[in-house]
């Protein structure tokens, strides 16, 4: 059988609950839905560290951040590391990455393992962005999402049709400061977007870390984010409602451009008879708070931030309209893509190929728990460093609240604390039951599982209280 092509589309900070294939209450994404409808939607895909640069490193290398060294935004990726595009290139694939890289610049960190690359420096700009094309900077005129799509399509058209391809199309959108293309921004002017159930969270019954975080819609969004001044004569609650609408409309308008891009790329595959033999993935580097818990941003191990969207279409091997609720992780993506391409998975990759799940088979020993660690203590949004375990039903989080000597973390301790959530009874994670004696046995089991996973992936525990 011909080796499959791979079109890996990843956006930045696009939460699953802003996609109609994930039953969004706030928008429609017909382009992305085409992938889900034609293939499989994963309902429990999680990142192992909910922040941009580290998750990107985990996806490319199939390893956890304490192994690949990319623990925070201040750490860059050594581009000598083994990655799935590099292995595909070595096996005869044509490889390219277009858009956001965000793993560092210069000879030691720029994209490697790609026949063609054209990426934004750092976060990149929404309008008239600078692009670095094979090491040479240029300024491109236009809107970033459209430009990334144009570069991706141009490369597809120029490639050698006799060889399989792997194209990584990495959008900057919908990352902060959420600057939409004006035509999409205007489309939402006269609508009111539904508010999330936890917009008015007061952070009671949670670890102190929740109240300490500075990512509140009503307090921490600035003028650049809001692009307008709030009417300060309004009551506080109305100001919060107004800020939520401003924030979420720009976010969703940015998503609308990404969705159009997906549509265009899928059209190209259809028009060139490539759909059948191309694996198409849409994902995002992590989730995001869309006003959930009164927040924007990510970082926490809470559900909205931990969960990644992941839809995959490959007509040769995946049944249309299928869904899967088993647990998959960002570190599992590299091994899966290698296996789908018929290549061996290096023993150094820590993730597990989920190709059996694509066929509808669930291995008896498939993972039912996952390890998470956020290292960037206090930096940017005052989120305390934490690690934890999520099982199918529970989540145990330990805020060790220390820099652990990581670059990019602030070297100032806070009081450590535990959180336990019963996701079955409390899906919005509003009630920390760590101190409830009824859960003592559950906590003991979860701590065992946390330490087992931590040891298994080669990470080191902090002092625990
Ligand atoms: Ca991100």
């Amino acid at each position: 059988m011909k080796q499959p092509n791979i079109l890996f589309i990843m956006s930045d900070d696009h939460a699953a609950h802003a996609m109609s294939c994930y039953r969004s209450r706030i928008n429609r994404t017909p382009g992305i839905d085409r992938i889900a409808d034609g293939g499989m939607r994963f309902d429990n895909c999680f990142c192992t560290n909910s922040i941009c640069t580290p998750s990107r490193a985990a996806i490319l290398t199939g390893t956890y951040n304490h192994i690949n060294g990319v623990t925070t935004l201040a750490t860059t990726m050594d581009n000598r590391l083994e990655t799935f595009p590099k292995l595909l290139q070595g096996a005869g694939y044509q490889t390219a990455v277009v858009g956001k890289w965000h793993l560092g610049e210069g000879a030691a960190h720029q994209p490697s393992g790609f026949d063609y690359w054209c990426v934004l420096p750092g976060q990149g700009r929404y309008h008239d962005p600078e692009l670095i094309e094979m090491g040479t900077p240029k300024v491109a005129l236009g809107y970033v999402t459209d430009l990334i799509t144009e570069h991706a399509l141009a490369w597809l058209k120029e490639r050698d049709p006799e060889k399989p391809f792997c194209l990584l199309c990495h959008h900057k959108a919908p990352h902060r400061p959420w600057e939409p293309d004006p035509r999409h921004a205007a489309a939402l002017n006269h609508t009111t977007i539904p508010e999330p159930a936890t917009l008015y969270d007061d952070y009671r019954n949670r670890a102190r870390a929740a109240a300490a975080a500075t990512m509140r819609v009503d307090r921490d969004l600035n003028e650049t984010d809001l692009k307008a001044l709030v009417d300060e004569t309004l009551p506080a609650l109305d100001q919060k409602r107004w800020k939520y609408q401003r924030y979420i409309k720009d976010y969703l308008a940015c998503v609308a451009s990404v969705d159009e891009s997906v549509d265009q790329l899928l059209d190209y595959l259809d028009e060139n008879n490539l759909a059948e033999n191309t694996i198409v993935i849409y994902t995002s580097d992590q989730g995001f708070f869309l006003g959930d818990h009164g927040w924007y941003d990510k970082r926490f191990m809470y559900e909205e931030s931990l969960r990644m969207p992941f839809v995959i279409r490959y007509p040769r091997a995946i049944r249309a309209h299928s869904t899967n609720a088993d647990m998959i992780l960002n570190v599992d993506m590299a091994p899966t893509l290698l296996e789908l391409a018929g290549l061996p998975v290096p023993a150094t990759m820590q993730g597990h190929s989920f190709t059996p799940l694509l066929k509808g088979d669930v291995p008896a020993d498939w993972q039912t728990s996952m390890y998470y660690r956020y290292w960037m203590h206090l930096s940017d949004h005052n989120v305390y460093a934490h690690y934890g375990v999520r099982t199918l039903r529970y989540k145990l989080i330990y805020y060790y609240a220390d820099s652990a000597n990581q670059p990019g973390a602030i070297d100032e301790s806070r009081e450590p604390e535990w959180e336990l959530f019963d996701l079955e009874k409390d899906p919005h994670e509003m009630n920390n039951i760590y101190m409830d004696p009824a859960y003592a046995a559950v906590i003991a089991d979860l701590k065992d599982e946390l330490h087992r996973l931590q040891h298994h992936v080669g990470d080191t525990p902090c002092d625990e209280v």
Side-chain angles (χ1 to χ4, degrees):
M1 196 167 83
K2 252 175 82 177
Q3 280 180 302
N5 303 306
I6 297 168
L7 173 58
F8 184 89
I9 310 169
M10 179 161 70
S11 56
D12 195 339
D13 295 359
H14 188 183
H17 53 310
M19 288 179 201
S20 34
C21 51
Y22 282 95
R23 301 194 186 89
S24 167
R25 297 165 60 242
I26 57 173
N27 69 334
R28 308 288 308 157
T29 48
I32 295 164
D33 294 359
R34 282 173 70 183
I35 303 174
D37 290 344
M40 186 173 270
R41 184 192 75 211
F42 279 85
D43 288 342
N44 284 309
C45 179
F46 301 119
C47 59
T48 51
N49 182 0
S50 183
I51 192 155
C52 308
T53 304
S55 185
R56 283 155 196 272
I59 288 168
L60 288 170
T61 61
T63 59
Y64 286 78
N65 295 135
H66 55 278
I67 300 292
N68 58 47
V70 188
T71 51
T72 70
L73 294 180
T75 51
T76 45
M77 189 174 85
D78 182 333
N79 63 11
R80 291 169 300 182
L81 292 178
E82 199 80 279
T83 62
F84 78 83
K86 221 181 255 189
L87 291 161
L88 291 170
Q89 186 188 45
Y93 271 75
Q94 298 166 89
T95 56
V97 58
V98 173
K100 190 169 174 184
W101 177 245
H102 206 204
L103 288 161
E105 286 155 41
H109 307 291
Q110 68 194 23
S112 140
F114 298 97
D115 300 323
Y116 174 76
W117 55 276
C118 182
V119 298
L120 298 158
Q123 292 281 5
R125 288 195 305 266
Y126 270 104
H127 296 279
D128 301 338
E130 188 186 344
L131 291 169
I132 303 174
E133 188 175 45
M134 307 290 285
T136 307
K138 65 175 187 181
V139 173
L141 298 180
Y143 185 62
V144 70
T145 305
D146 299 339
L147 291 164
I148 290 169
T149 312
E150 284 163 22
H151 280 77
L153 285 169
W155 183 78
L156 283 172
K157 287 171 188 165
E158 284 164 19
R159 78 190 199 286
D160 175 358
E162 298 306 312
K163 290 162 73 180
F165 70 81
C166 172
L167 169 61
L168 275 48
C169 180
H170 287 184
H171 286 294
K172 168 190 172 54
H175 193 280
R176 195 182 184 193
W178 316 294
E179 291 175 16
D181 180 333
R183 71 199 157 94
H184 286 125
L188 295 172
N189 277 350
H190 301 292
T191 53
T192 302
I193 311 294
E195 294 176 353
T198 57
L199 180 62
Y200 302 98
D201 192 353
D202 58 8
Y203 315 108
R204 272 188 294 185
N205 308 319
R206 241 66 49 76
R208 282 178 292 273
T214 52
M215 50 171 78
R216 294 191 197 175
V217 167
D218 61 357
R219 186 191 62 192
D220 301 316
L221 287 171
N222 60 35
E223 268 179 57
T224 309
D225 299 323
L226 295 167
K227 299 147 197 105
L229 290 171
V230 66
D231 178 357
E232 286 179 1
T233 65
L234 290 173
L237 212 58
D238 289 344
Q239 290 190 36
K240 181 168 184 169
R241 289 197 175 108
W242 180 87
K243 286 183 182 179
Y244 167 73
Q245 291 296 325
R246 272 279 58 251
Y247 154 54
I248 204 69
K249 283 182 184 179
D250 280 351
Y251 179 94
L252 294 178
C254 288
V255 168
S257 289
V258 171
D259 192 64
E260 269 186 8
S261 168
V262 172
D263 213 37
Q264 286 172 34
L265 291 167
L266 294 179
D267 282 348
Y268 176 85
L269 298 182
D270 286 345
E271 287 155 12
N272 292 276
N273 201 23
L274 290 165
E276 197 65 18
N277 196 42
T278 301
I279 298 161
V280 184
I281 287 166
Y282 184 85
T283 187
S284 175
D285 53 354
Q286 8 67 209
F288 213 68
F289 297 108
L290 305 178
D292 314 284
H293 297 290
W295 289 332
Y296 58 95
D297 214 74
K298 56 258 182 178
R299 300 162 193 267
F300 276 99
M301 197 187 167
Y302 297 141
E303 289 292 274
E304 296 85 352
S305 150
L306 179 71
R307 186 178 300 283
M308 303 167 80
F310 190 89
V311 290
I312 178 167
R313 189 185 81 174
Y314 180 29
R316 287 212 164 146
I318 306 171
R319 211 157 36 85
H321 299 287
S322 47
T323 59
N324 179 289
D326 296 299
M327 205 179 262
I328 61 165
L329 308 176
N330 56 357
V331 290
D332 299 333
M333 295 178 192
T336 302
L337 288 170
L338 290 172
E339 198 167 273
L340 285 170
L343 299 182
V345 178
T348 49
M349 285 193 176
Q350 297 176 292
H352 307 284
S353 166
F354 51 84
T355 48
L357 305 185
L358 300 174
K359 297 176 198 131
D361 302 329
V362 185
D365 60 348
W366 188 253
Q367 58 200 355
T368 54
S369 62
M370 57 90 55
Y371 178 64
Y372 179 89
R373 184 162 183 176
Y374 174 74
W375 308 74
M376 208 170 156
H377 184 60
L378 301 184
S379 201
D380 294 347
H381 290 287
N382 207 46
V383 176
Y384 299 177
H386 54 289
Y387 56 64
V389 59
R390 189 199 190 282
T391 64
L392 300 178
R393 174 159 178 187
Y394 295 104
K395 188 183 293 177
L396 180 73
I397 306 174
Y398 182 56
Y399 296 92
Y400 60 91
D402 192 87
S403 74
N405 300 315
Q406 292 301 304
I410 293 172
D411 198 11
E412 205 180 284
S413 300
R414 297 287 182 269
E415 206 176 317
E417 208 168 356
W418 291 90
E419 268 182 341
L420 172 68
F421 297 103
D422 182 339
L423 300 172
E424 205 173 282
K425 292 185 180 163
D426 177 26
H428 293 305
E429 298 165 303
M430 298 293 277
N431 195 22
N432 174 20
I433 48 173
Y434 184 77
M435 299 308 283
D436 183 340
Y439 287 90
V442 169
I443 290 170
D445 285 351
L446 286 168
K447 284 188 179 175
D448 284 350
E449 183 62 5
L450 169 66
H451 296 134
R452 185 191 71 80
L453 287 171
Q454 194 167 45
H455 178 74
H456 180 71
V457 304
D459 197 13
T460 319
C462 297
D463 290 336
E464 291 174 2
V465 294

